[in-house]
Amino acid sequence: RYTIISILSGVLLAAVTVSLIKAGRISVDISQRGPLTVILQCLGYLLGLDAYQYLIHRLMHTRVLFRHVHHVHHRSRTPSALSAFSFHPIEFIALGLYFPLMLSIFEFSVHSMAILCLIQFFMNTIPHCGYEFAPSWWYRHRVGRLILTPYFHDVHHQVSSVNYGMLPKELETFLVGACPIVASYGAKDISLRGAADQLEHALAKLAIDHDVK
């Protein structure tokens, strides 16, 4: 059901985008552009997309939004290609707004737009397809670990109850009786600065088996 709703929402967003282009609110460059221009436009768009999707996803894993919105997507414990489009309408529209938003800020070549639509389709579908294409050494390489793969995303769906937000204020009280905990924090994530050390200290004090990085 939600897959059909998402597809219909996508058609609506596409119709709105086309209407804005016809109305002159969004400008599209239809002239012939060189390969370097197209590559730079695609790279700039994808870098912005990565930051935008990270922000939306982090917000969706807050308690209220996960319970009422993002849980729809996590109903697929073992994702399939169709799961890539199974979103609550609010989340789908929030993610889909990036495309018209970028077009309203920057003028993209029509060739760049065509390439980006294709790339976005595969970026969304492949991590949810349920099949791993990357070789085993991919996960040991520093670049490979930065790219979302079907295996990583399957794990994310299976442990959807994980808290991606701040530590509780009464951390030790919250952790009493907890099972062994494994946690990993991005060193450059300013929203969670010091969280790893705090969690490590609390778990050690309570003698709870853990692996915190």
Side-chain angles (χ1 to χ4, degrees):
R1 181 181 68 169
Y2 282 102
T3 298
I4 295 174
I5 293 173
S6 293
I7 292 172
L8 293 176
S9 299
V11 172
L12 176 62
L13 278 172
V16 170
T17 303
V18 171
S19 299
L20 291 173
I21 292 173
K22 289 183 176 180
R25 300 293 181 87
I26 291 178
S27 179
V28 178
D29 183 5
I30 59 174
S31 62
Q32 188 69 30
R33 292 290 181 179
L36 181 59
T37 299
V38 173
I39 290 172
L40 290 175
Q41 286 183 352
C42 289
L43 285 176
Y45 179 95
L46 292 172
L47 286 173
L49 176 65
D50 190 60
Y52 181 84
Q53 288 187 334
Y54 174 81
L55 175 63
I56 295 297
H57 196 204
R58 282 297 294 269
L59 289 173
M60 288 298 162
H61 273 273
T62 55
R63 181 170 297 179
V64 174
L65 287 177
F66 187 90
R67 181 179 299 170
H68 298 288
V69 178
H70 193 52
H71 80 282
V72 169
H73 186 59
H74 276 275
R75 286 179 180 176
S76 302
R77 301 303 296 273
T78 303
S80 65
L82 288 178
S83 304
F85 305 96
S86 180
F87 289 98
H88 190 283
I90 292 176
E91 182 175 4
F92 186 87
I93 292 173
L95 291 169
L97 281 176
Y98 178 79
F99 187 68
L101 179 64
M102 285 295 286
L103 294 184
S104 65
I105 298 174
F106 303 103
E107 186 179 72
F108 284 84
S109 162
V110 67
H111 303 97
S112 300
M113 289 175 57
I115 293 171
L116 287 167
C117 286
L118 190 62
I119 290 174
Q120 273 199 254
F121 174 79
F122 283 106
M123 282 178 61
N124 193 30
T125 306
I126 289 177
H128 292 91
C129 72
Y131 294 92
E132 184 56 81
F133 300 99
S136 58
W137 57 262
W138 181 265
Y139 293 96
R140 297 191 295 270
H141 195 278
R142 65 175 64 183
V143 175
R145 287 183 296 201
L146 296 175
I147 300 175
L148 183 61
T149 63
Y151 171 75
F152 178 86
H153 205 64
D154 270 22
V155 172
H156 173 65
H157 272 254
Q158 291 166 19
V159 292
S160 58
S161 60
V162 170
N163 175 26
Y164 289 84
M166 302 293 184
L167 295 175
K169 290 183 178 179
E170 302 295 334
L171 180 57
E172 290 184 19
T173 302
F174 184 81
L175 289 172
V176 171
C179 297
I181 290 177
V182 176
S184 179
Y185 292 88
K188 296 182 179 180
D189 190 338
I190 59 174
S191 67
L192 296 173
R193 186 169 291 163
D197 291 337
Q198 293 178 42
L199 183 58
E200 172 78 29
H201 178 75
L203 292 171
K205 185 177 180 180
L206 296 170
I208 296 173
D209 291 336
H210 61 277
D211 181 9
V212 178
K213 300 176 181 178

